[in-house]
Amino acid sequence: MNLVLEAIGQLLASPNTLFAIGLGTITGLLAGLTPGVSGRTGLVLVTPIAMGLGPTAGALFLIAFHSVVHTSGSIPAILLGTPTSSAEAATAIDGFAMARKGQGAQAIGASLGASAIGGLMGAVFLFGSVPVALSIISHFGTPEITALSVLGLLSISALSGGWLTAGLMVAALGILIGAVGVDPMAGAARGTFGVTALWDGVSPAALVTGLFVAPELLSRDRTEALNHVARPRLRDVLAGTRDVLAQAGLAIRSGLVGILVGIIPGLGTSVAVWMAYGHARQTHPSEIPYGEGAVAGVIAPEAANNSKEGGALVPTLFLAIPASSGMGILLACFATLGVEVGPRLLSHNPLFLFQLGWSNILANLLALPVCLLVTPLLARISQVRREQVIPLALAAALTATVLTDPSWATLGQILAFSALGILLKSANLPRAPLLLGFVLGPGLESGLMRSAMVFGWQGLMRPGVLIILALALIGILASARARLKLGTESEDAATTALPLACAVAVALCLFALFQATSLPATAAGILILAGSIGTATSLVTLWRFWPMRGAARQAKGPDLVLAGMSLGGLGLAGLIALPAAIGVLVAAATRFWAKLGWWPTFLGALACAAAAAGLEQLIR
Amino acid sequence: MRDWGVLTLPCILSPSAKADRRAVLGLFTGLALAGCMPPRETHLIVGSSAGGGNDDLARLFAKTLLRQTSERLTVENEGKAGGKLALDHLAASPGDGTTLGLLAPSFLYRMLQKEVGASWSLSSFGWIGGVSAERRVLMVNAGSGIRTLDDLRNRKTPVTLAASSVASPNYIEPLIINQLLGTRLKPVPGYSGGARTLAVMSGEVDGMVTGFDSIGPLLESPGSHLLLRLNSLELPGQAPVPTLASLAKGPDAAALLDLIETSARIGQVFALPPGPKTEALARWTQRFHAVIEDPDFRREASQRGMGLEATTGREIATALARLSNPTGPTLKALSRVMTKGRAG
């Protein structure tokens, strides 16, 4: 305890270290706000700054940076509906729905409040329960991680919006998309169509943009003009943070989910966020339905997102085992600075360890007021008419996605997943289960294979596995009971596009089953499992829809003019430089779709092209 | 107020909208013009993602080169497909010295298994040099119950080792050890990054084949120890560990030992695209040696735990030609190892 206090005392007494933490917080928040600059890329970009600060201050700077980069990362996703990662997508589902109702400031307030609680929980956990954490890590083997993935997949039920077979069908598609690439067990290529760029799987950014961003921005529904929304003020943001306090139980439970997932190497932010989101939908009733602006749908993923970082620091700092790719880069940065982490840190230099923990806490505490002050300005985006925002949002989404991996393969994936996302939205099918299947599928497959190879059937009898599977069983029973109480399922919400969506799903599943016949057993298993479930649930979904097809709502397709322009922008991005393509897309959409004047068209296009060029240079 | 469309966004941040519009216009025009006129650049294509693998070496190399020659080397990460995209990209670039590649250490195994390199020959690249040779070791943990090589040989059940994928050295090299020593090592693929280390540390698997420089924390765990040195580089600060070469037997021994030794020795390799201009290769070879002999480079590389043993481009070219010879012993021996490994 003395060391903990001595560490904070030293930090507060030193202007250098305080400056480093402040600078890390500000640059972390800016990096989070910048499209395409994730925590990983950001760390690489700011390493030279850390070098300039020296070993101790540099390490504190990096920890502060990494602690808050996710805090501001969800703000563009909430305001513009343009998530660029599967983690942000969970927040954007309800956050963007709130913003469209003119509650953008509240949504961001809730996001910031939950991030602060999650961040603080992670930081306290970092040095408050070290022995427990190390014990959990050492007892969490592959079978337990696999069981955790099974538990996570149960959220499909909650994310299916009342129509379980449709949710399972979409989740099966997600698992199949997650299986694309060269599998590590047999080295067999699955669904790559000979494209080398798909060896490591599909681009998560392209999948998120296609599934969530494109369908919303290209929607024909132009009635959501928000110019009558009152000007956002600080009190609106604070109302959002008060929502977090009112639902503190959910924030704490989600924070615990984040910590647990964070300390286990290999699971990643997306798993933490989607498990927390699924947990909220399963256990936390909301007056406003999830997906339509439930503030709990913002609180849960944001708390998990930030608490996960504190959890991930435990194996990183104490064992020198990076719990995620971001932590791997952090370790490399520490090595560059000459800072030694690992088992010897606790015994040789515990004071420094606690200083790192305090840096995490101080950064989270500092980020909250900074963001609260800036948010009313940023939230004014939600006042701007939809026609004016959409060209800008399209440009931001396209730039951020393409910059993750500038190639024709990425552009092709954006196109393919946008078509799939628009089809699912038109059919009124849930899209979140697809992302859940995509996020959890690869870990589940790899975990099952490794458990079988190392433990055999004994893997199922491990205490940790039994506990997690018991929780899963309880979840299934609770969900089934809730469904029985609910009575009917919501097939009536289906539209005339449902048969086409089911046909596409069946075609994809049959293709996967066909491909499985030519693969080694270890590579074929997941394709057979997901393909069979997907085919069966697609046919059941279609069978249940068929009698009521006459009464189905007419499907709403995308705005074809804007979709055509976006397609042109994608093509141009492949043929000419990205900034030029962005400029042309914004100009065309602003002038001929939004029908604004030539001056705003010219200036908007120039601004977006210049921003894209600047980001391109920065990230390279 | 006129409808300024998208410009409303920046303008709402300032009370002085007119001045703000001018500032925004001026700023973005300048940025756009700057973006349209990029300076002449030399590209270094790196076969790993930013912040990982050999990216660190690439950036340190670029920094030192800039200081020495004022030439800016732009690092481009192509980490996908285990570095295959980087190789494809490099193979399609001009050989005039404006594009270089830095290849991941595992590229050799991938190339020899024909996983990459189907469309071009290894010997056609311009090999500049290699740095950061690896000390490959087999380590086991306390839970394995293995103390000596005899324990390893006499064990009735397979010895499980964490591996990343079936194309990685940490999967292939245990199979080579089985071939040469008659052991029952069972590499289990699917453990990536930190999960691999944790699996060994927690006792989920018995050990792994890895680079000595990357397992410091693991060796501090009670009972963990090194069982075998796969190549001839000495291990600093360690008690003597037997080498694979001193124990290997069988008709494939020479070829497979040569493969492991070469793969570890050449380390991280700088190369020019196939058919490089002689002048470009000579210039980059001279610069490569100037950089790796630079005292500041060596100090920083050492701080970051990089090995500093260097290999010349000529040595790399000779070794690769020998290993990839279709009628030579290496490919046949490797094929036998992989066939037996898959069957086992």
Side-chain angles (χ1 to χ4, degrees):
Chain A
M1 190 63 190
N2 283 344
L3 278 175
V4 175
L5 295 176
E6 192 181 336
I8 183 69
Q10 281 194 6
L11 281 186
L12 295 177
S14 164
N16 278 350
T17 52
L18 282 180
F19 171 74
I21 293 169
L23 188 64
T25 307
I26 300 297
T27 48
L29 292 173
L30 287 175
L33 278 173
T34 310
V37 180
S38 65
R40 278 176 292 185
T41 311
L43 273 173
V44 175
L45 290 174
V46 301
T47 301
I49 301 176
M51 295 281 283
L53 291 168
T56 304
L60 295 169
F61 165 84
L62 288 173
I63 291 285
F65 176 92
H66 200 256
S67 301
V68 300
V69 72
H70 297 296
T71 302
S72 56
S74 298
I75 292 177
I78 289 172
L79 291 177
L80 298 174
T82 55
T84 54
S85 70
S86 40
E88 287 172 9
T91 305
I93 291 175
D94 283 287
F96 185 50
M98 288 178 74
R100 288 199 302 194
K101 292 177 181 174
Q103 298 169 345
Q106 287 97 315
I108 294 175
S111 159
L112 294 175
S115 293
I117 286 185
L120 288 174
M121 283 177 67
V124 169
F125 178 81
L126 173 63
F127 56 46
S129 50
V130 172
V132 181
L134 293 181
S135 175
I136 292 173
I137 293 171
S138 60
H139 285 91
F140 233 88
T142 300
E144 285 78 13
I145 296 172
T146 310
L148 205 59
S149 299
V150 172
L151 187 66
L153 276 176
L154 289 178
S155 302
I156 291 170
S157 162
L159 298 176
S160 298
W163 195 353
L164 186 58
T165 55
L168 285 170
M169 171 182 85
V170 175
L173 287 183
I175 293 174
L176 290 178
I177 292 170
V180 169
V182 174
D183 91 298
M185 313 302 291
R190 299 183 298 202
T192 59
F193 305 102
V195 179
T196 314
L198 290 175
W199 275 24
D200 289 341
V202 305
S203 157
L207 181 65
V208 169
T209 298
L211 271 188
F212 290 95
V213 181
E216 301 305 328
L217 295 185
L218 303 182
S219 164
R220 268 192 301 184
D221 194 357
R222 287 222 222 174
T223 58
E224 295 154 350
L226 298 174
N227 44 343
H228 299 300
V229 172
R231 185 171 156 161
R233 295 182 187 283
L234 182 59
R235 64 167 174 262
D236 299 320
V237 187
L238 290 174
T241 54
R242 277 199 300 276
D243 284 340
V244 180
L245 295 177
Q247 302 181 48
L250 174 66
I252 290 170
R253 292 199 308 276
S254 303
L256 290 173
V257 170
I259 288 171
L260 179 63
V261 173
I263 61 174
I264 302 167
L267 284 181
T269 305
S270 300
V271 174
V273 163
W274 281 97
M275 284 187 73
Y277 185 70
H279 170 75
R281 290 185 71 148
Q282 278 178 314
T283 64
H284 194 83
S286 168
E287 284 181 18
I288 300 169
Y290 283 94
E292 296 175 22
V295 72
V298 174
I299 292 170
E302 285 303 303
N305 201 359
N306 274 39
S307 69
K308 184 226 161 226
E309 297 306 327
L313 278 171
V314 172
T316 307
L317 294 180
F318 301 147
L319 299 175
I321 295 176
S324 62
S325 53
M327 287 295 157
I329 294 175
L330 192 66
L331 273 183
C333 294
F334 281 163
T336 306
L337 286 168
V339 173
E340 186 191 7
V341 295
R344 272 183 293 193
L345 183 63
L346 198 56
S347 54
H348 290 197
N349 197 359
L351 193 66
F352 179 58
L353 178 67
F354 291 126
Q355 285 183 337
L356 294 177
W358 277 116
S359 177
N360 190 358
I361 290 181
L362 291 175
N364 275 295
L365 288 175
L366 185 59
L368 185 61
V370 170
C371 288
L372 286 177
L373 287 175
V374 179
T375 298
L377 290 174
L378 294 174
R380 288 186 202 177
I381 289 173
S382 58
Q383 283 188 298
V384 180
R385 284 213 318 272
R386 191 166 178 267
E387 290 87 353
Q388 295 171 343
V389 172
I390 279 182
L392 185 74
L394 271 175
L398 188 60
T399 303
T401 309
V402 171
L403 284 181
T404 57
D405 181 16
S407 66
W408 273 104
T410 305
L411 297 174
Q413 289 178 66
I414 294 173
L415 184 62
F417 293 134
S418 296
L420 182 62
I422 288 168
L423 178 62
L424 293 177
K425 181 179 164 72
S426 299
N428 203 26
L429 286 168
R431 285 165 282 164
L434 194 151
L435 214 48
L436 192 74
F438 173 76
V439 165
L440 292 174
L444 181 66
E445 180 196 18
S446 171
L448 281 172
M449 294 294 173
R450 280 183 285 142
S451 294
M453 289 177 81
V454 176
F455 297 96
W457 289 106
Q458 288 175 333
L460 283 173
M461 303 311 292
R462 288 163 64 101
V465 174
L466 291 175
I467 291 170
I468 296 170
L469 290 181
L471 287 174
L473 188 64
I474 292 168
I476 290 172
L477 294 174
S479 177
R481 193 175 164 207
R483 279 178 189 284
L484 283 175
K485 272 189 181 174
L486 201 68
T488 57
E489 292 190 326
S490 54
E491 293 94 331
D492 55 338
T495 72
T496 50
L498 188 89
L500 178 61
C502 288
V504 169
V506 168
L508 290 172
C509 291
L510 289 178
F511 173 74
L513 289 172
F514 172 72
Q515 197 175 44
T517 58
S518 60
L519 293 172
T522 50
I526 196 80
L527 299 189
I528 293 171
L529 182 70
S532 305
I533 292 174
T535 306
T537 49
S538 303
L539 293 175
V540 170
T541 302
L542 195 59
W543 175 65
R544 295 178 70 162
F545 167 79
W546 205 249
M548 59 184 94
R549 64 188 183 283
R553 288 191 291 117
Q554 191 62 35
K556 276 186 189 170
D559 184 315
L560 291 177
V561 174
L562 195 58
M565 289 177 178
S566 303
L567 189 61
L570 271 181
L572 278 178
L575 294 170
I576 59 175
L578 176 68
I582 292 294
V584 172
L585 172 62
V586 171
T590 310
R591 182 71 190 96
F592 301 111
W593 180 78
K595 303 205 186 309
L596 298 180
W598 280 108
W599 266 109
T601 297
F602 170 70
L603 294 175
L606 189 64
C608 288
L615 274 174
E616 201 174 31
Q617 290 296 320
L618 184 72
I619 289 172
R620 278 172 64 194
Chain B
M1 182 179 162
R2 280 187 65 186
D3 186 356
W4 282 84
V6 290
L7 257 196
T8 311
L9 296 178
C11 292
I12 55 177
L13 303 177
S14 164
S16 172
K18 194 173 176 184
D20 207 31
R21 275 177 216 134
R22 286 179 184 162
V24 168
L25 181 60
L27 175 68
F28 285 138
T29 304
L31 278 173
L33 288 175
C36 291
M37 290 182 287
R40 180 179 158 79
E41 288 176 337
T42 307
H43 302 271
L44 175 57
I45 302 166
V46 181
S48 67
S49 51
N54 45 5
D55 177 62
D56 205 20
L57 171 65
R59 291 177 192 277
L60 182 58
F61 185 90
K63 189 174 103 175
T64 311
L65 186 75
L66 180 67
R67 182 166 47 74
Q68 285 183 344
T69 66
S70 301
E71 178 160 5
R72 188 173 295 280
L73 202 54
T74 305
V75 175
E76 290 182 12
N77 297 96
E78 290 267 25
K80 282 196 157 189
K84 178 178 175 353
L85 279 182
L87 268 171
D88 286 344
H89 188 165
L90 183 65
S93 302
D96 60 358
T98 55
T99 306
L100 290 78
L102 177 56
L103 308 180
S106 61
F107 85 99
L108 181 58
Y109 285 110
R110 288 176 173 270
M111 278 184 155
L112 293 179
Q113 290 184 83
K114 302 292 179 199
E115 190 179 285
V116 299
S119 55
W120 23 259
S121 157
L122 272 178
S123 58
S124 61
F125 283 85
W127 302 105
I128 296 168
V131 70
S132 197
E134 269 202 295
R135 296 167 173 83
R136 304 290 296 168
V137 292
L138 166 63
M139 65 90 53
V140 290
N141 55 24
S144 68
I146 298 168
R147 294 283 167 274
T148 64
L149 279 170
D150 283 337
D151 292 342
L152 183 70
R153 284 200 187 98
N154 298 330
R155 181 144 142 172
K156 300 284 183 239
T157 53
V159 179
T160 53
L161 302 179
S164 48
S165 74
V166 288
S168 62
N170 50 32
Y171 181 88
I172 297 169
E173 287 172 352
L175 299 181
I176 293 178
I177 297 173
N178 286 345
Q179 180 90 341
L180 300 182
L181 301 186
T183 49
R184 294 186 67 194
L185 301 179
K186 181 184 176 185
V188 180
Y191 290 97
S192 58
R196 193 162 57 249
T197 312
L198 186 60
V200 179
M201 196 177 270
S202 65
E204 178 170 318
V205 291
D206 296 314
M208 65 176 166
V209 166
T210 184
F212 172 75
D213 296 319
S214 62
I215 53 168
L218 263 181
L219 285 179
E220 288 171 21
S221 308
S224 294
H225 59 282
L226 301 173
L227 216 53
L228 194 64
R229 232 174 349 130
L230 271 59
N231 56 323
S232 59
L233 284 177
E234 295 292 336
L235 306 179
Q238 290 291 314
V241 177
T243 60
L244 182 60
S246 67
L247 303 162
K249 57 189 178 194
D252 290 334
L256 293 173
L257 287 170
D258 182 27
L259 172 59
I260 289 183
E261 187 71 35
T262 305
S263 167
R265 271 277 180 188
I266 61 177
Q268 306 190 38
V269 180
F270 287 84
L272 286 177
K277 290 183 178 169
T278 313
E279 174 275 324
L281 185 57
R283 177 163 44 97
W284 276 109
T285 302
Q286 184 265 325
R287 285 178 178 177
F288 168 76
H289 288 289
V291 167
I292 61 167
E293 282 157 20
D294 184 284
D296 287 340
F297 174 88
R298 295 185 79 79
R299 183 177 44 76
E300 278 200 53
S302 180
Q303 273 177 1
R304 299 178 195 195
M306 295 174 192
L308 288 167
E309 297 83 0
T311 321
T312 65
R314 192 180 298 274
E315 286 170 332
I316 293 170
T318 308
L320 293 181
R322 186 177 67 247
L323 295 178
S324 61
N325 179 0
T327 59
T330 310
L331 290 178
K332 288 174 188 163
L334 183 62
S335 172
R336 278 191 284 274
V337 166
M338 298 310 292
T339 307
K340 199 171 169 184
R342 285 190 197 103

